[in-house]
Amino acid sequence: MQKIFVALLLLSTLAITSCSEKKDGESGSIDARVKELVSKMTIEEKAGQMTQVTIDVLTVGKSPFESDEPLKLDTATLRLAFEKYQIGSVLNTANNRARNPELWNSLIGEIQAYALEKSRLKIPVIYGLDMIHGASYVEGATLFPQQIGMAATWNPALIERAGEITAYETRAIGCPWTFSPVLDLGMDPRWPRQWETFGEDPLLASEMGVALIAGLQGKDNNMSDPNRIASCMKHFLGYSQTVSGKDRTPALLSMNALREYHLPSFKKAIDAGAATIMINSGEINGLPVHASKYLLTDLLKNELGFKGFVVSDWQDIEYLHLRHKVAASHKEAVKLAINAGVDMSMVPYNFDFPGYVVELVKEGEIPESRIDDAVSRILKVKLMLGLFETPITTRNNYPEFASENFAADARRTSLESITLLKNQNNILPLPADAKILVAGPAADNMRPLLGGWSYSWQGNLVNEFTTAYPTIFKAIRNISANQDAVKLAEVVKYAAEGDYRTEIKEDNSAFISLARQSDYIVLCLGENTYTETPGNASDLDLSENQKELVKMAASSGKPVIMVLVQGRPRLINDTEPLASAVLNAYLPGNYGGEAIARVLFGETNPSGKLPYTYPRFAYNTEPYFHKHTEALTNAGAPEGTTFNPQYPFGFGLSYTTFEYTDLTLDKVEYSATETLKVSVKVKNSSGRAGMEVVQIFVSDHFASLTPPVKRLRAFTKLMLQPGETQTVQFEIPAADLAFVNHENQTILEKGDFTISAANLKKDFKITEDKILKTGH
């Protein structure tokens, strides 16, 4: 604590000096302050601002990859980092594990104090962490469902609140910047980061992304508010749709497809004021995105008007040389990336980058104007965050950290994410006093409930930090009216160490015996935690051990309820018929066990909807907005069609029934500048209150480029009491029905369209062709 006090005292003095200098010599305008600072900086100082290293580089340890415990900053390395190289940013957590708020305050406070003491111009460091679903690298913080579960709520207000709480608890440790949200589309279930996305649809991803950014930065983007932090949209652009489905592998994507599907979520976030952006680690059509001047400068900065700064992903500038082989040396890689438009290099293990930048500028290989632009963008964000005035914020000023109020919001988000996919003969909800056998690898294990980026990169430390939270089994037992009647026999367990796919199969005799005594069997299945390249998969099936467990449970003759705890949708076509009910829990967070139990017993009425198409087969993974040629009649295919998902996008059952009537449009013909005014009546036709997501889709009958079968164009979530009817209204600009052609023109073509809500449809016409925008 003494170190914290000393660091804060020094920071306070330096901040006062900084403020005094601002009043004496700088205007109140952030842009003017940036311009003046840049004019005073040497090329070495500028290159330092563009440099980001991981904290393990700055600690006492055997190497830059490992820190000694307990953590201690290395004075000699700090001097090198901030006196010689004047680096502008630090990221990550040491030894890949969460830390308590007090230790974070000490570490970040000491770093900030040392950086300001050595900085000639008193420029603070910006510290960044992957606070992905809450302050996920902080012991005791409030963690929410992962983004895929957030998307399943279809409730942007909940996601904005999650952003607010994440920002508050992140500032409590002294960190002003998170590498979130992920705005890539989760279109391919093979991809190991699908669960980090808001699903496969551009509109859903856009709305959820904007909501999360509003929570993180504030709706007015007043990031100097000590309760707000800077967001970082990622990973621009096309990262998620690789040819192989594996992480960081090549993509082959046309520019009109990139613009039509992958760009909208980023454009909406940029328009909302997102402060920073991280780049796709892969390549598109043979060119690494980190080396693409067209994507990073022409499109992102010039066409879209992005004013924040661009940060590379982990070591990705070096990888232009080491992996992609488009640069013959690290120095050439730096030249390619900076000239392409990267502003800050997540180096992260050495101080070579700033030296290369200085050399390349002096050699005329990088224009100093490009460096000035990069540094101006970085300084602007630091000023917007108020770091010059308040370099560090501390836990003692954040009394709501880990509060019960925050926990209530996380619980609600988890509850609204749970998606009921099957409920044969209304087997759910379960009787309160039912005899229940709980089994499977996710039954009594917190780790699969949280996923990666939870207390560590791969999520392998979850159980160390979550002893206060109930697993699914414990939550079911806690809620049951007959706790002694809730039994556990896992049969299959996830290995605590090693590859996430490794499982341990136990003797099944206890399961067989307990199954005979039970009324219901709840199987908690899915996959263990992973992210990025370690999560690459060779197939999408449930493991053979888990399949055998389902078959054994079904053979008992007792009703089987499958609870799927998973990042990607695992194939269940051969086990789903054996289950009476199926719940998709995604990665619901620390309150996931409780949420699942409450839905099973009917304390909460499920309202989640799938944010992706749940595939039936490994070779049928098309999104819902597939083309007509991907759904041809085929006598040899199951169900008579080649597009036959297990469950469609947007699907989710409730314990309530809803009826849709009176879908209306205000007109039958629209010009390109008009707006469709849509209304539909939704009635709760049951005796129980419930929430329903109203989804509006539009289909273009014919177009000059093959149209998708339909696109989501609007949605809202509402609560209906028993017997209640609400008229739901939407306004959809006709321009939203445009598509991007091969000339990169956003064009609306005249012709026939169909709008639909549930089982209702209405036809209408667009009366004119109109080019709305021409891309570069």
Side-chain angles (χ1 to χ4, degrees), residues 506-575:
E506 299 182 324
D507 179 78
N508 61 21
S509 57
F511 176 91
I512 293 171
S513 175
L514 290 169
R516 294 193 191 104
Q517 306 167 37
S518 301
D519 301 323
Y520 303 91
I521 301 174
V522 176
L523 299 181
C524 306
L525 311 172
E527 54 185 10
N528 207 355
T529 66
Y530 59 83
T531 187
E532 301 192 62
T533 302
N536 287 340
S538 55
D539 64 66
L540 291 176
D541 289 314
L542 281 176
S543 71
E544 288 301 318
N545 288 334
Q546 294 186 52
K547 288 182 182 181
E548 288 177 14
L549 178 58
V550 176
K551 293 171 184 175
M552 182 169 61
S555 69
S556 72
K558 304 301 174 67
V560 174
I561 295 95
M562 291 173 55
V563 177
L564 302 173
V565 183
Q566 53 188 2
R568 50 165 74 91
R570 291 289 180 170
L571 301 181
I572 57 172
N573 63 78
D574 53 351
T575 52

Side-chain angles (χ1 to χ4, degrees), residues 3 55 88 110 126 164 190 200 229 243 283 285 312 319 437 461 501 512 530 535 591-592 611-612 618 646 661 724 758:
K3 285 185 178 179
I55 189 173
E110 285 184 64
I126 181 171
E164 291 174 356
R190 301 174 301 165
E200 71 184 34
I229 59 176
V243 174
E283 62 185 65
N285 305 329
S312 80
Y319 287 153
L437 174 58
L461 301 181
R501 286 161 285 221
I512 293 171
Y530 59 83
Y591 300 98
Y612 51 62
Q646 190 77 47
T661 58
E724 181 185 2

Side-chain angles (χ1 to χ4, degrees), residues 242-270:
T242 65
V243 174
S244 68
K246 293 179 171 61
D247 185 43
R248 287 172 163 81
T249 55
L252 297 174
L253 290 165
S254 66
M255 183 49 60
N256 66 302
L258 278 169
R259 287 175 174 271
E260 174 103 13
Y261 298 105
H262 297 272
L263 193 61
S265 56
F266 287 96
K267 183 181 187 306
K268 289 285 188 180
I270 290 167

Side-chain angles (χ1 to χ4, degrees), residues 88-390:
S89 183
V90 181
L91 84 154
N92 210 18
T93 181
N95 289 338
N96 189 26
R97 62 164 43 244
R99 306 288 172 171
N100 64 49
E102 291 73 24
L103 181 55
W104 273 122
N105 284 163
S106 176
L107 290 170
I108 298 176
E110 285 184 64
I111 289 170
Q112 196 69 276
Y114 201 95
L116 284 167
E117 182 185 11
K118 300 301 179 183
S119 172
R120 183 175 63 90
L121 298 173
K122 307 305 177 197
I123 299 174
V125 164
I126 181 171
Y127 204 104
L129 282 166
D130 287 282
M131 304 302 212
I132 301 302
H133 58 123
S136 48
Y137 274 131
V138 185
E139 182 179 353
T142 308
L143 299 196
F144 288 78
Q146 296 282 359
Q147 276 192 205
I148 200 67
M150 292 184 188
T153 70
W154 291 66
N155 189 340
L158 288 181
I159 311 317
E160 182 176 340
R161 180 59 177 155
E164 291 174 356
I165 292 168
T166 300
Y168 182 96
E169 295 191 342
T170 301
R171 277 283 197 172
I173 70 162
C175 178
W177 184 25
T178 177
F179 304 121
S180 175
V182 172
L183 296 181
D184 309 302
L185 295 185
M187 297 171 63
D188 188 342
R190 301 174 301 165
W191 191 52
R193 305 189 75 171
Q194 187 193 33
W195 55 269
E196 296 183 54
T197 75
F198 288 122
E200 71 184 34
D201 180 73
L203 176 64
L204 182 60
S206 297
E207 294 295 320
M208 294 299 187
V210 167
L212 187 55
I213 290 166
L216 295 169
Q217 297 189 177
K219 288 184 176 179
D220 58 358
N221 291 311
N222 178 20
M223 295 184 294
S224 63
D225 181 337
N227 296 327
R228 304 295 182 181
I229 59 176
S231 68
C232 183
M233 349 165 235
K234 61 185 190 184
H235 308 82
F236 189 85
L237 181 67
Y239 177 43
S240 59
Q241 200 175 354
T242 65
V243 174
S244 68
K246 293 179 171 61
D247 185 43
R248 287 172 163 81
T249 55
L252 297 174
L253 290 165
S254 66
M255 183 49 60
N256 66 302
L258 278 169
R259 287 175 174 271
E260 174 103 13
Y261 298 105
H262 297 272
L263 193 61
S265 56
F266 287 96
K267 183 181 187 306
K268 289 285 188 180
I270 290 167
D271 291 345
T276 68
I277 193 166
M278 188 182 293
I279 305 308
N280 172 3
S281 297
E283 62 185 65
I284 299 175
N285 305 329
L287 181 62
V289 179
H290 280 78
S292 174
K293 185 174 183 295
Y294 172 76
L295 291 177
L296 303 188
T297 297
D298 298 346
L299 177 59
L300 175 63
K301 293 181 176 179
N302 295 339
E303 184 178 332
L304 298 182
F306 176 61
K307 303 301 182 185
F309 73 79
V310 175
V311 61
S312 80
D313 206 338
W314 189 270
Q315 209 173 346
D316 275 336
I317 292 182
E318 290 184 356
Y319 287 153
L320 294 177
H321 168 62
L322 296 173
R323 289 181 177 177
H324 297 289
K325 308 297 183 182
V326 295
S329 65
H330 287 173
K331 182 175 176 180
E332 185 183 1
V334 170
K335 181 180 79 169
L336 288 176
I338 302 307
N339 283 334
V342 174
D343 300 314
M344 178 182 286
S345 173
M346 190 183 289
V347 180
Y349 291 120
N350 57 62
F351 302 112
D352 295 341
F353 172 81
Y356 290 141
V357 170
V358 171
E359 290 176 17
L360 287 161
V361 170
K362 290 180 177 179
E363 293 165 3
E365 296 293 328
I366 298 178
E368 189 161 2
S369 59
R370 168 78 270 273
I371 302 302
D372 289 350
D373 172 64
V375 175
S376 295
R377 291 169 178 270
I378 293 165
L379 293 176
K380 184 172 183 178
V381 171
K382 290 183 177 185
L383 285 160
M384 291 176 70
L385 284 164
L387 294 179
F388 282 77
E389 292 74 30
T390 309

Side-chain angles (χ1 to χ4, degrees), residues 383-588:
L383 285 160
M384 291 176 70
L385 284 164
L387 294 179
F388 282 77
E389 292 74 30
T390 309
I392 184 72
T393 47
T394 55
R395 168 70 179 84
N396 60 299
N397 292 319
Y398 293 83
E400 284 293 300
F401 180 90
S403 68
E404 184 52 41
N405 287 335
F406 286 2
D409 289 304
R411 284 189 178 95
R412 182 181 171 190
T413 308
S414 294
L415 284 165
E416 289 199 28
S417 73
I418 306 299
T419 305
L420 180 60
L421 298 176
K422 182 180 182 180
N423 195 17
Q424 187 174 314
N425 299 322
N426 293 320
I427 196 77
L428 296 179
L430 299 175
D433 60 351
K435 298 175 182 178
I436 302 170
L437 174 58
V438 187
D444 199 30
N445 188 348
M446 288 299 297
R447 178 177 169 181
L449 291 171
L450 280 92
W453 302 113
S454 302
Y455 308 109
S456 68
W457 176 40
Q458 294 295 314
N460 56 303
L461 301 181
V462 164
N463 289 324
E464 176 184 336
F465 289 90
T466 55
T467 55
Y469 303 95
T471 62
I472 300 173
F473 162 67
K474 290 183 176 68
I476 291 173
R477 189 182 59 187
N478 291 344
I479 292 175
S480 171
N482 185 6
Q483 294 187 3
D484 291 338
V486 180
K487 304 296 183 180
L488 174 69
E490 291 160 287
V491 182
V492 181
K493 290 185 175 183
Y494 295 129
E497 303 292 338
D499 190 285
Y500 78 96
R501 286 161 285 221
T502 304
E503 295 177 347
I504 300 167
K505 188 176 180 181
E506 299 182 324
D507 179 78
N508 61 21
S509 57
F511 176 91
I512 293 171
S513 175
L514 290 169
R516 294 193 191 104
Q517 306 167 37
S518 301
D519 301 323
Y520 303 91
I521 301 174
V522 176
L523 299 181
C524 306
L525 311 172
E527 54 185 10
N528 207 355
T529 66
Y530 59 83
T531 187
E532 301 192 62
T533 302
N536 287 340
S538 55
D539 64 66
L540 291 176
D541 289 314
L542 281 176
S543 71
E544 288 301 318
N545 288 334
Q546 294 186 52
K547 288 182 182 181
E548 288 177 14
L549 178 58
V550 176
K551 293 171 184 175
M552 182 169 61
S555 69
S556 72
K558 304 301 174 67
V560 174
I561 295 95
M562 291 173 55
V563 177
L564 302 173
V565 183
Q566 53 188 2
R568 50 165 74 91
R570 291 289 180 170
L571 301 181
I572 57 172
N573 63 78
D574 53 351
T575 52
E576 185 270 351
L578 303 177
S580 298
V582 179
L583 282 180
N584 195 9
Y586 313 95
L587 302 170

Side-chain angles (χ1 to χ4, degrees), residues 603-679:
E603 288 191 7
T604 296
N605 196 348
S607 63
K609 304 286 185 181
L610 286 174
Y612 51 62
T613 302
Y614 200 119
R616 188 182 297 270
F617 303 107
Y619 289 96
N620 293 100
T621 57
E622 303 87 354
Y624 84 90
F625 47 80
H626 58 274
K627 300 300 182 75
H628 291 272
T629 51
E630 295 176 284
L632 298 174
T633 299
N634 183 347
E639 308 295 330
T641 177
T642 53
F643 181 73
N644 180 33
Q646 190 77 47
Y647 305 105
F649 170 81
F651 177 76
L653 300 171
S654 170
Y655 298 150
T656 300
T657 55
F658 301 98
E659 295 177 0
Y660 285 68
T661 58
D662 299 332
L663 175 64
T664 63
L665 285 165
D666 62 321
K667 299 170 65 176
V668 295
E669 294 186 348
Y670 298 88
S671 70
T673 57
E674 292 183 302
T675 297
L676 286 70
K677 295 182 180 179
V678 187
S679 69

